[in-house]
């Protein structure tokens, strides 16, 4: 610790032997060190502010997904469910966590699986569409739904999976 500067790093050669031989006079070196400390403090505050903003944004979007009145799911590149919101689980009569890790094709009624695989291949080519299909409810009956499906891409623009939005149209089909 420096008797003059206290606990802060200082420019006195006796306190900071690594500075011995520095071409700057001690006053200038002190100013440079102070500016460096100030810059580091600003950068640290910017990182904290960015982290807070990111956390707030993530919370806002997660809330939107969690409270949506439509079922929402994402898959990876081969059709394995990577996310399902609570509404999709409720539509299928299962906890949404039970859907994650399952092939999306297992959620579709057997007579609709071929069409689901064909549509998935279109997502792999970047084609988005909306269609009606029948899903399998845990109780064994079919559930008519309207599905909007879009491709997800990674930072390089490569196919990364599919985003599904699922609306229950069973009451409309019953009429």
């Amino acid at each position: 610790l420096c008797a003059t500067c206290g606990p802060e790093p200082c420019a006195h050669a006796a306190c900071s032997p690594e500075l011995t031989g520095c071409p700057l006079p001690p006053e200038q070196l002190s100013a440079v060190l102070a500016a460096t400390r100030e810059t580091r403090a600003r950068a640290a505050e910017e990182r904290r502010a960015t982290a807070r903003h990111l956390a707030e944004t993530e919370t806002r979007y997660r809330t939107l997904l969690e409270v949506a009145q439509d079922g929402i799911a994402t898959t990876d590149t081969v059709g394995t469910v990577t996310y399902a919101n609570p509404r999709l689980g409720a539509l299928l009569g299962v906890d949404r966590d039970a859907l994650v890790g399952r092939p999306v094709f297992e959620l579709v009624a057997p007579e609709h699986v071929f069409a689901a695989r064909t549509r998935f291949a279109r997502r792999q080519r970047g084609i988005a569409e909306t269609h009606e299909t029948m899903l399998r409810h845990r109780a064994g009956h079919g559930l008519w739904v309207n599905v909007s499906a879009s491709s997800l891409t990674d930072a390089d623009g490569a196919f990364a999976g599919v985003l599904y939005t699922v609306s229950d149209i069973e009451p409309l089909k019953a009429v």
Side-chain angles (χ1 to χ4, degrees), residues 38-96:
E38 190 176 310
T39 300
R40 286 182 179 164
R42 271 196 315 270
E45 179 52 36
E46 287 175 12
R47 283 191 303 275
R48 285 190 294 275
T50 299
R52 278 192 306 273
H53 178 71
L54 181 60
E56 290 166 2
T57 300
E58 184 177 323
T59 298
R60 184 173 36 254
Y61 284 111
R62 182 156 303 278
T63 299
L64 290 173
L65 291 171
E66 298 295 308
V67 302
Q69 292 301 302
D70 285 334
I72 299 172
T74 58
T75 70
D76 62 12
T77 58
V78 295
T80 302
V81 176
T82 56
Y83 171 81
N85 74 344
R87 177 64 178 150
L88 184 59
L91 285 172
L92 298 174
V94 298
D95 183 83
R96 61 127 168 228

Side-chain angles (χ1 to χ4, degrees), residues 110-130:
E111 62 272 21
H112 293 261
V113 171
F114 180 79
R117 289 185 182 280
T118 302
R119 289 184 185 108
F120 189 84
R122 288 199 290 268
R123 297 305 85 67
Q124 291 172 317
R125 294 192 314 269
I127 302 168
E129 63 187 346
T130 300

Side-chain angles (χ1 to χ4, degrees), residues 2 5-13 15-20 22 24-42:
C2 177
C5 301
E8 296 295 320
C10 72
H12 300 104
C15 299
S16 304
E18 69 276 2
L19 299 177
T20 304
C22 179
L24 294 175
E27 304 80 38
Q28 284 183 333
L29 189 54
S30 289
V32 168
L33 290 172
T36 301
R37 283 192 301 275
E38 190 176 310
T39 300
R40 286 182 179 164
R42 271 196 315 270

